Amino acid sequence: MTVRVGVIGAGMIGQDHIRRLTEVVTGAAVTAVTDLDGARAAEAAATVGATVLPSGAELINSPDVDAVLVTSWGPTHAEHVLSAIAAGKPVFCEKPLATTAEDCLRIVEAERAHGSRLVQVGFMRRFDPGYRQMKEVLAAGTLGAPLIVHCAHRNPTVPDAYHSAMAAQDTAVHEIDVLRWLLDDEIVSAQVVTPRATSKRFEHLKDPQIMIFETVSGVRIDLEVFVNCQYGYDIQCEVVGEDGLVRLPDPAAASVRTAARHSTAVMQDWKVRFAEAFDTEFREWIASVAAGAEPTGPSAWDGYAATVITDAAVRSLESDGTVVSADMKPRPAFYGGAASPSQP
């Protein structure tokens, strides 16, 4: 079957996913588009022959839409995801699932009441070949128990609109999700400290930041977030175990020797660095929808956990590096965790 997808939000990421669904992924068609900017919606829809609808609610309830893709402004995500659940339609929501932990829990409870998983959250790193290789190594157990994780998330520059809390909410959130998945462990506390600030930043921004997380089993994670590093987009991850370590491979690049130098290029853009991960993410999501199966990617619970942990990191930043607990509800058995007495 061809999965008919309705897209809510026709901005940069929405347009990129429309292209991906129509040019890269087989078995999908974009049949409806909506955006607060009607002209932008019309332009995006025209490229794929889709219908423009006036609102997210009308798109979700359209008989020509089998599944929903939410790429609108973050504060609108909860409304659209809840509407999709109420309509019984699979919904892919770009991060964040919602901008508050309370709204994330509303989505979790609505999905549980529906009785099966409908929601997938757009944490694409789980679909990156390098991270998947790391997951295989860790799952094999040859490194022994993980002890320490070292990470870096570096961007060449960010715009003036980027503020200090976004280092956790928009940037580190990807490490937070992928490390919970890699380690199969939950993060219980966050601490953010700020070293000497780079002179390359806007004055209002604290950059770089060093984030320190602890998991239930006692693994310590250190993450450097440096969003004005100048030289490129650089993602690093190393897990140290009792008997060895595994390191995320850099993307393949030609090795050049010339003028007494040996060099490889450094990527400059996240869309290029994780292009294959985005493609795989949508191939697997469309395949699950076509098969009538539950999605296998990040769940509504993962979206909730990420929001709770980033909230803790922001509180630590705002309190000059205090260690802040990530006070998460017990994970329901519905999402593969041990149920608490109040969550069968």
Side-chain angles (χ1 to χ4, degrees):
M1 65 173 285
T2 296
V3 176
R4 301 170 300 173
V5 180
V7 180
I8 301 175
M12 178 190 67
I13 192 67
Q15 292 178 34
D16 196 41
H17 288 339
I18 289 171
R19 176 199 59 79
R20 181 167 286 110
L21 286 167
T22 55
E23 298 180 11
V24 178
V25 177
T26 58
V30 175
T31 54
V33 178
T34 190
D35 192 278
L36 287 175
D37 184 334
R40 187 165 62 184
E43 181 181 355
T47 64
V48 293
T51 301
V52 177
L53 292 175
S55 69
E58 289 182 63
L59 181 145
I60 289 165
N61 290 295
S62 168
D64 296 322
V65 169
D66 302 314
V68 179
L69 170 60
V70 178
T71 55
S72 53
W73 186 44
T76 68
H77 286 189
E79 170 194 350
H80 297 314
V81 173
L82 286 167
S83 294
I85 294 170
K89 293 186 178 182
V91 54
F92 183 108
C93 182
E94 270 299 346
K95 61 89 177 169
L97 174 64
T99 51
T100 68
E102 291 75 19
D103 276 347
C104 288
L105 282 177
R106 288 174 61 211
I107 292 168
V108 164
E109 290 308 316
E111 189 176 46
R112 291 179 67 214
H114 172 75
S116 62
R117 279 192 56 196
L118 291 172
V119 180
Q120 180 165 322
V121 183
F123 291 121
M124 76 295 188
R125 291 206 190 172
R126 299 189 188 198
F127 301 88
D128 175 72
Y131 279 111
R132 285 188 160 184
Q133 289 171 28
M134 291 183 74
K135 179 70 170 176
E136 290 173 3
V137 171
L138 291 168
T142 54
L143 302 184
L147 307 174
I148 307 167
V149 183
H150 306 293
C151 297
H153 188 143
R154 305 183 183 113
N155 290 58
T157 58
V158 289
D160 184 41
Y162 189 101
H163 54 80
S164 296
M166 291 172 71
Q169 295 166 338
D170 280 27
T171 302
V173 67
H174 287 290
E175 274 80 13
I176 287 167
D177 177 74
V178 83
L179 291 174
R180 293 177 58 250
W181 172 73
L182 276 178
L183 299 172
D184 194 21
D185 201 355
E186 196 54 83
I187 291 171
V188 295
S189 70
Q191 181 182 20
V192 181
V193 296
T194 52
R196 177 180 177 178
T198 174
S199 63
K200 309 293 184 180
R201 79 197 193 285
F202 290 104
E203 190 61 32
H204 65 267
L205 179 61
K206 294 181 179 180
D207 186 45
Q209 297 179 26
I210 298 172
M211 303 183 183
I212 303 165
F213 303 102
E214 184 175 8
T215 73
V216 169
S217 68
V219 176
R220 289 286 188 168
I221 299 163
D222 59 80
L223 166 60
E224 169 203 323
V225 176
F226 187 10
V227 295
N228 289 282
C229 78
Q230 307 299 305
Y231 71 86
Y233 182 75
D234 189 11
I235 302 299
Q236 300 294 325
C237 181
E238 179 181 271
V239 180
V240 180
E242 295 172 309
D243 299 309
L245 62 84
V246 58
R247 182 179 294 125
L248 179 71
D250 285 328
S255 176
V256 178
R257 296 171 186 261
T258 184
R261 294 288 186 271
H262 181 193
S263 63
T264 55
V266 177
M267 288 185 174
Q268 300 296 301
D269 186 271
W270 56 269
K271 289 189 293 183
V272 176
R273 169 62 180 85
F274 288 109
E276 185 176 354
F278 278 117
D279 292 349
T280 302
E281 174 184 51
F282 275 92
R283 286 193 186 100
E284 294 187 9
W285 179 60
I286 290 296
S288 71
V289 175
E294 293 189 349
T296 58
S299 67
W301 184 261
D302 294 316
Y304 162 71
T307 298
V308 171
I309 296 161
T310 57
D311 284 352
V314 172
R315 291 200 303 274
S316 177
L317 175 69
E318 293 173 345
S319 61
D320 296 322
T322 301
V323 176
V324 176
S325 296
D327 295 323
M328 215 173 297
K329 302 292 185 183
R331 183 167 63 179
F334 182 83
Y335 293 104
S340 72
S342 62
Q343 294 175 309

